[in-house]
């Protein structure tokens, strides 16, 4: 049993193999060939060598095998930033079980949507999350999908124990990962539609993106990398992220969150050299660094991506943090652009770099679908050796965002200079980028529309000093507008169990939505309305 997905056409696959991009090795090679006694992960007071990581993931694979899980099964995983996240990942991969790694901030609404899409055989979660404090949600999930039989909890008073499962040795385990050109796991898309989309990543394509990232960022066995962003996110996982650290034989330090003081302590204690951040976290780090710069003495590189970094903040990084900046424009669908370590300072602060592979085909196209001249704005479209050709089981959406030649239309508006460097200038997708966390407007609009007092709703991004963008929900009440209040609507939305970061920061009640000539809500106008209202508020 393999997971269905849109494969690369053979003629492309052949070239990617010839070039040595696809090596037909499973992702487990990332840890299985590292020097056994080196420290792979530091997590709180715990230390895991590469030998530990291999052993524990083999043990867990043995346990899962004894449960009856097999190749082609899927798993829903939700863990905080702990070493077990990686043990679980490699255990599942060893058996060809395909995980979806939910973000820890995800809630009932998101997890249930993933369960619906992949029908997992097992859930691996943590009691630190309120959904798994007791077995209520678990029972509900089992009702939703009766084939879901198993749960493992990282710590807990109910369910089977992940720690115990990792501890039982399984000497006779026969590993059988999925073929390297098949789906290894699902990555998550920020999305722009009502249902979250899953991104099938193969061993071959993901492994390549990791290896190439390691080369570009010059990771080595002496790299000490701080995982401060959510570990399941594509950026800290693969650009080069934790997996890049493993491939290089370096050391991964887990931070519970990107909070500056917590991270500064860890950097000082473990002599961290590299960290990946989103722009709002970087801005906060720069404030705290005014008093704590010596704590950062070991830091040589801060990678920033996920959302647009302002040039003025970028310029201050070397002075305020005492280290180099690297900008990254990446996406869980594949394409990753890096500024290079030896780039001139102007390119580093003004652009988000260029693709990591010479076989990444990148075009910037205008509204007529034609490529625009260098320096002009257009939509970024791409295909290449590690960019997917389709989302999981989403034929309608795929028909919209993948063209007949297999190019992925990113919805990012960029300009590309003569040297090939890309700069993000805007977005043409129905999404809000709240400091790196993406919200599909339609998902929340649909929930608002279920409210008996709401006639129409439209979510747009509003500018925010710290987050870059925040969520503004325009709402047209059905009856008497005075009945609707922001507090109630927030509570109402939380009632659906949505992740907190998706709850609108502001509600604006209006009599009617401005519409475009084709009858859709005119979000260009709405963004302008909220921008002006915010400006007025600032003046008054
Ligand atoms: P996702 O498809 O959910 O993985 O999110 C990827 C998207 O995040 C990209 O298509 C961009 O819209 C946005 N993004 C990532 N990195 C940057 C960056 N450095 N600057 C601006 N936007 C970014
Ligand atoms: O935002 C992203 O999805 C992202 C940013 C930087 C990403 O997937 C990546 C690097 O790999």
């Amino acid at each position: 049993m393999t997971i269905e997905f849109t494969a690369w056409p053979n003629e492309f696959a052949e070239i990617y193999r010839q070039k040595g991009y696809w090596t037909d090795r499973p992702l487990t090679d990332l840890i299985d060939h590292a020097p056994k006694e080196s420290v792979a992960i530091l997590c709180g007071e715990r230390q895991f060598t590469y030998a530990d990581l291999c052993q524990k993931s083999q043990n867990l694979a043995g346990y899962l095998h004894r449960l009856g899980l097999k190749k082609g099964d899927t798993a829903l995983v939700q863990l905080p930033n702990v070493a077990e996240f990686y043990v679980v990942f490699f255990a599942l991969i060893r058996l060809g079980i395909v995980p979806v790694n939910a973000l820890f901030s995800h809630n009932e609404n998101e997890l249930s949507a993933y369960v619906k899409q992949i029908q997992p055989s097992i859930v691996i979660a943590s009691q630190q999350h309120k959904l798994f404090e007791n077995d209520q949600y678990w029972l509900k999930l089992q009702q939703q999908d009766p084939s879901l039989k198993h749960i493992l909890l990282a710590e807990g008073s109910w369910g089977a124990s992940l720690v115990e499962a990792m501890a039982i040795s399984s000497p006779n385990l026969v590993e059988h990962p999925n073929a390297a050109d098949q789906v290894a796991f699902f990555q998550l898309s920020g999305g722009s539609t009502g249902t979250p989309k899953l991104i099938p990543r193969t061993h071959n394509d993901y492994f390549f993106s990791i290896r190439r990232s390691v080369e570009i960022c010059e990771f080595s066995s002496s790299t000490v990398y701080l995982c401060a962003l959510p570990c399941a996110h594509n950026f800290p996982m693969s650009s080069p992220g934790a997996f890049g650290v493993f491939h290089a034989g370096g050391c991964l330090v887990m931070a519970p969150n990107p909070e500056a003081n917590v991270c500064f302590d860890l950097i000082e204690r473990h002599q961290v050299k590299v960290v990946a951040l989103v722009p709002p976290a970087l801005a906060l780090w720069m404030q705290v660094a005014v008093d704590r710069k010596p704590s950062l003495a070991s830091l040589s590189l801060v990678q920033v991506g996920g959302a647009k970094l302002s040039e003025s903040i970028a310029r201050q990084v070397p002075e305020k943090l005492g280290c180099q900046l690297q900008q990254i424009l990446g996406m869980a669908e594949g394409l990753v652009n890096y500024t290079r370590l030896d780039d001139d300072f102007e390119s580093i602060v003004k652009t988000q770099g260029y693709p990591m592979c010479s076989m990444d085909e990148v075009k910037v196209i205008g509204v007529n679908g034609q490529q625009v001249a260098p320096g002009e704005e257009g939509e970024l479209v791409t295909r290449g050796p590690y960019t997917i050709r389709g989302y999981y089981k989403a034929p309608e959406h795929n028909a919209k965002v993948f063209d007949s030649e297999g190019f992925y239309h990113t919805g990012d508006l960029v300009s590309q200079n003569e040297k090939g460097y890309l700069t993000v200038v805007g977005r043409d997708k129905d999404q809000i980028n709240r400091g790196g966390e993406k919200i599909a407007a339609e998902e929340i609009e649909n929930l608002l529309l279920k409210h008996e007092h709401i006639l129409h709703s439209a979510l747009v991004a509003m500018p925010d000093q710290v987050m870059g963008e925040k969520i503004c929900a325009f709402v047209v009440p059905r009856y008497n507008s005075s009945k609707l209040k922001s507090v109630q609507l927030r509570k109402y939305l939380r009632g659906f169990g949505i992740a907190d970061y998706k709850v609108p920061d502001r509600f604006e009640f209006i009599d009617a939505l401005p519409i475009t000539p084709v009858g859709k809500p005119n979000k260009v106008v709405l963004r302008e309305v909220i921008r002006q209202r915010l400006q007025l508020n600032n003046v008054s």
Side-chain angles (χ1 to χ4, degrees):
M1 270 281 286
T2 51
I3 299 287
E4 66 179 74
F5 77 112
T6 316
W8 285 258
N10 281 337
E11 61 269 31
F12 285 86
E14 251 170 52
I15 299 173
Y16 298 154
R17 285 198 172 88
Q18 269 167 19
K19 292 259 180 199
Y21 301 159
W22 289 7
T23 54
D24 289 310
R25 300 296 312 160
L27 287 170
T28 40
D29 273 20
L30 287 167
I31 55 169
D32 287 348
H33 299 298
K36 295 279 176 261
E37 295 318 315
S38 307
V39 176
I41 310 178
L42 294 170
C43 181
E45 298 307 314
R46 301 180 302 154
Q47 173 176 311
F48 296 72
T49 62
Y50 280 94
D52 294 333
L53 191 52
C54 291
Q55 186 68 58
K56 286 179 193 300
S57 61
Q58 282 160 356
N59 291 352
L60 180 58
Y63 175 91
L64 297 171
H65 178 71
R66 288 192 297 279
L67 281 186
L69 296 189
K70 55 186 188 311
K71 205 177 189 134
D73 284 349
T74 58
L76 175 66
V77 180
Q78 187 192 41
L79 292 171
N81 280 15
V82 289
E84 282 76 8
F85 175 79
Y86 306 100
V87 176
V88 166
F89 182 85
F90 290 109
L92 294 167
I93 295 292
R94 286 187 199 289
L95 296 182
I97 302 168
V98 176
V100 166
N101 301 309
L103 297 176
F104 201 64
S105 54
H106 282 157
N107 208 339
E108 177 164 354
N109 172 65
E110 290 78 24
L111 298 196
S112 299
Y114 299 139
V115 166
K116 202 169 159 196
Q117 290 187 68
I118 64 164
Q119 294 164 319
S121 308
I122 187 164
V123 171
I124 303 180
S126 161
Q127 265 201 308
Q128 282 181 43
H129 198 291
K130 70 174 188 323
L131 274 182
F132 297 99
E133 270 172 6
N134 57 42
D135 64 0
Q136 267 183 19
Y137 178 58
W138 167 238
L139 295 174
K140 201 168 159 186
L141 273 183
Q142 281 187 302
Q143 268 173 7
Q144 183 186 330
D145 184 348
S147 64
L148 180 48
K149 297 220 164 55
H150 306 289
I151 185 157
L152 271 177
L153 288 173
E155 65 286 288
S157 48
W158 64 278
S161 155
L162 176 61
V163 176
E164 280 170 27
M166 283 169 20
I168 314 162
S169 123
S170 308
N172 301 323
L173 176 77
V174 182
E175 294 188 21
H176 40 79
N178 288 329
D181 60 358
Q182 298 295 318
V183 180
F185 76 108
F186 291 109
Q187 191 49 272
L188 305 176
S189 155
S192 54
T193 64
T195 30
K197 298 285 176 286
L198 295 175
I199 298 173
R201 299 295 303 250
T202 64
H203 294 266
N204 271 342
D205 86 78
Y206 212 62
F207 212 142
F208 171 61
S209 85
I210 294 158
R211 278 200 318 275
R212 185 67 192 123
S213 297
V214 165
E215 281 169 18
I216 289 171
C217 303
E218 298 178 8
F219 276 26
S220 71
S221 58
S222 61
T223 296
V224 184
Y225 171 95
L226 187 72
C227 180
L229 296 176
C231 58
H233 192 280
N234 198 52
F235 183 12
M237 205 160 149
S238 69
S239 296
F243 287 4
V245 171
F246 298 155
H247 182 62
C251 175
L252 174 70
V253 179
M254 302 307 291
N257 57 58
E259 206 265 308
N261 277 309
V262 173
C263 288
F264 285 26
D265 289 347
L266 287 168
I267 290 172
E268 200 170 353
R269 178 170 172 200
H270 301 299
Q271 295 295 290
V272 168
K273 293 182 180 166
V274 187
V275 66
L277 294 176
V278 288
L282 174 72
L284 294 172
W285 279 40
M286 282 165 57
Q287 284 172 18
V288 175
V290 174
D291 299 319
R292 291 200 60 181
K293 199 169 164 192
S295 306
L296 305 181
S298 60
L299 201 61
S300 60
L301 180 68
V302 56
Q303 305 180 288
V304 181
K308 177 83 180 174
L309 176 63
S310 83
E311 187 186 325
S312 64
I313 301 266
R315 280 193 185 281
Q316 300 171 40
V317 169
E319 191 202 317
K320 293 243 166 96
L321 300 184
C323 68
Q324 195 182 354
L325 168 70
Q326 179 179 48
Q327 291 210 52
I328 305 174
L329 164 59
M331 49 203 77
E333 287 80 359
L335 180 73
V336 183
N337 305 275
Y338 290 98
T339 60
R340 305 304 202 255
L341 302 185
D342 57 359
D343 272 343
D344 60 273
F345 191 60
E346 289 307 300
S347 298
I348 292 176
V349 297
K350 286 200 169 102
T351 82
Q352 282 72 56
Y354 60 95
M356 62 170 149
C357 174
S358 60
M359 287 210 70
D360 281 319
E361 296 175 70
V362 157
K363 292 192 288 191
V364 183
I365 59 167
V367 276
N368 57 6
Q370 298 297 310
Q371 269 182 270
V372 302
E376 280 180 23
E377 285 179 31
E379 187 187 7
L380 174 64
V381 307
T382 184
R383 66 180 181 188
Y386 59 97
T387 297
I388 56 157
R389 295 294 186 123
Y391 292 100
Y392 182 59
K393 289 190 180 166
E396 278 172 34
H397 188 59
N398 285 343
K400 284 190 201 141
V401 298
F402 293 90
D403 65 25
S404 57
E405 294 178 312
F407 280 86
Y408 167 53
H409 290 235
T410 63
D412 291 318
L413 297 178
V414 301
S415 68
Q416 188 170 33
N417 70 17
E418 299 280 356
K419 291 195 242 160
Y421 288 71
L422 297 165
T423 300
V424 179
V425 293
R427 191 177 330 120
D428 183 20
K429 54 184 164 187
D430 206 4
Q431 187 184 73
I432 295 150
N433 189 335
R434 196 178 183 281
E437 288 184 307
K438 284 88 181 184
I439 298 100
E442 194 181 287
E443 190 185 356
I444 306 305
E445 288 163 3
N446 287 345
L447 296 178
L448 284 170
L449 284 178
K450 290 185 178 171
H451 192 289
E452 56 170 339
H453 291 292
I454 293 179
L455 188 59
H456 299 298
S457 75
L459 256 67
V460 295
M462 60 180 183
D464 180 79
Q465 278 270 305
V466 180
M467 302 303 284
E469 294 174 11
K470 278 190 173 178
I471 311 170
C472 176
F474 282 90
V475 167
V476 181
R478 193 181 281 278
Y479 312 111
N480 181 354
S481 67
S482 62
K483 276 202 179 149
L484 287 178
K485 297 268 179 311
S486 308
V487 216
Q488 292 162 358
L489 288 183
R490 288 206 178 90
K491 200 169 158 208
Y492 168 77
L493 283 174
R494 290 208 168 91
F496 288 101
I498 60 171
D500 245 9
Y501 68 85
K502 295 182 181 175
V503 177
D505 299 281
R506 185 180 172 114
F507 289 88
E508 289 285 323
F509 301 96
I510 49 171
D511 295 334
L513 292 179
I515 53 167
T516 64
V518 290
K520 287 190 189 174
N522 192 332
K523 296 202 170 179
V524 177
V525 172
L526 290 174
R527 278 192 285 270
E528 188 51 28
V529 170
I530 186 60
R531 204 183 58 80
Q532 285 183 7
R533 287 190 187 173
L534 290 172
Q535 258 175 3
L536 279 179
N537 286 354
N538 278 346
V539 175
S540 58

